Amino acid sequence: MWLPLKPLDSYSDRTKLTLTAVAASSLTALSLLSWQAARRQQRAKKLKRDLVHGDLAASLPLSSSSQQLNALGLVGSPSPTTKKAATGVRPHDPTLIEEQLARNQAFLGSDGLVQVRQAHVVVVGTGSVGSWAALMLARSGVQQLRVIDPARLQQQDVASHAAATPRTIGMAKVHALQAIIAPIVPFVHVDAIHSEWQPRHIMDVVMEISKTTETTPSSSSSASSTNDNTSANSRIMVIDCLGHTSLDAKVKLIQFCRSCDIPIISALDPGNKVDPTRIQLTDISDTFDDPSAKLLRRRLKLLGIDRHLPVAYSTEKPTNPKYVTHGDEVHHFDDQSRALPDVRSRHTPIVGAIAAMYGMTLTTYTLLHLADFSAYQAPPIRQKDKQCTRIYDDLRKREKQVYGTTEAPLTHQEIAYIYEELWHGKSAVSGPRDRLTLVRWDRTKPLSLTNAVCMSKDEARAHDELPADTDLHAHYDQDVVAFIEKQFQDQHNFDAIWN
């Protein structure tokens, strides 16, 4: 049952005062909350406008008013002013940075994330693999990023390149990456070098890190320059994403980093690969079933680099391997050309998603390496030094006894190459055997890469006792002779690539 309301005049003065105070407090609180909400909306709109319109407009000529077309009607290189705006690091709210990198910090820890943010990463080659590596490194908090590539984006790159869009066709790949990274992570400094890589491009970074280390107070004033270099090298990482068309530059880059003790990880060719479950990270010495791995591994081994080079590659054997020449003509590999169409003038077709996964693999390893993430252990390296040393000693002894050779016919490095790369640790006559060694195939010629065959010790002893005029084609099975000659021819073809 409803009771009639009393007129306000019927209440006491105290009650009237209380009701007035409550009403005034409510209105004040409502006004304050409304003002705070309006301020938040205004700040959010300003932040979005600064991050999107400000950075994007300053970093890339995406609007029709700022695009510069060349004679072919393609977007030209950014102007110096545009480049400066793209590479500059704009002030960014530290709280936003912490929130953006919160998940990485939860995984790597506070100290690990600090190490990642203070590190310098150089990405050499920003194609279908390197562009994704650079983009994800920037997203992950690497604040000093240098990208090096002389190429420009083409129409077919839209299917696989991280920064390729119809509007960026004709732009330098490194400048397109600057543009895509700037509005996402404004606090990241991207240094773009539109040229072939040079040693100074990496040494500049090392010197910059060294200067930063010198200006930072140290707990010990007697630290040596060697320790300073070691500290600088621990804060830099080089990611090699050069393809086969830059094979010589790829080998020189790896050689340079190894000689300067600069950490480097390399990507092998993702062409003709479609199985994402076969992509893995391992040491160059433990790669197999990959033509690009074989080509690079054999060359590096002859240069004295046979291990301690992490690589991203796939163990997949392509069922229908192809390659594409400069004229966009597609060719199929056959038995004779499988190892030898000119690798510097052709490329293998790739699936964009597989190339991106290669880039993600490189990024993950780099982040864990820079953060010194102890939970990750690199795959173990298979050590075959003792076996090769034993073969080396046995070969020197036999060459002296049988042929009177006083000097070592092959170096330890060459013996390891012949044993592992040409004969895969097996006897050329009988397959897997214990107590293997190397022997001259043609006894009238000295030992060399193309005249040394792996056999068991018993087989080698019997081979050395053959008369000098023995017809090897008649003495051994035709399959054995054909296999040995095929391996020698493969080595000749390999030498032709590099000579």
Side-chain angles (χ1 to χ4, degrees), residues 422-424 427-428 478-488:
L422 288 182
W423 308 112
H424 311 295
S427 168
Q478 290 301 312
D479 292 343
V480 172
V481 175
F483 172 68
I484 292 174
E485 291 180 347
K486 178 180 178 299
Q487 294 302 98
F488 287 158

Side-chain angles (χ1 to χ4, degrees), residues 89 97 100-101 104 108 112-123 133-147 181 185-191 205 209 235-239 362-371:
V89 179
I97 299 177
Q100 188 166 342
L101 302 177
N104 280 12
L108 300 173
L113 183 59
V114 169
Q115 292 175 214
V116 169
R117 293 185 62 187
Q118 293 178 349
H120 293 64
V121 178
V122 181
V123 181
L135 176 60
M136 290 309 300
L137 285 168
R139 285 179 176 270
S140 301
V142 176
Q143 294 188 188
Q144 300 294 331
L145 191 61
R146 173 168 285 189
V147 290
I181 290 174
V185 276
F187 55 89
V188 173
H189 176 82
V190 180
D191 183 16
V205 178
I209 299 175
R235 293 172 54 190
I236 183 176
M237 187 74 181
V238 175
I239 301 181
L362 298 173
T363 299
T364 303
Y365 175 88
T366 301
L367 293 175
L368 298 180
H369 172 82
L370 294 175

Side-chain angles (χ1 to χ4, degrees), residues 285 287 297 301 382-385 387-388 390-391 414-438 452-457 459 483 487:
S285 63
T287 55
R297 183 184 65 242
K301 186 166 290 186
R382 298 179 182 178
Q383 301 289 350
K384 300 179 181 178
D385 293 343
Q387 175 79 349
C388 293
R390 187 188 60 76
I391 293 176
E414 289 172 330
I415 287 176
Y417 175 86
I418 295 172
Y419 174 74
E420 297 176 2
E421 297 298 334
L422 288 182
W423 308 112
H424 311 295
K426 301 176 183 178
S427 168
V429 177
S430 56
R433 285 288 186 273
D434 295 331
R435 302 174 68 245
L436 294 172
T437 188
L438 296 180
V453 178
C454 186
M455 297 182 180
S456 68
K457 284 192 173 183
E459 293 167 345
F483 172 68
Q487 294 302 98

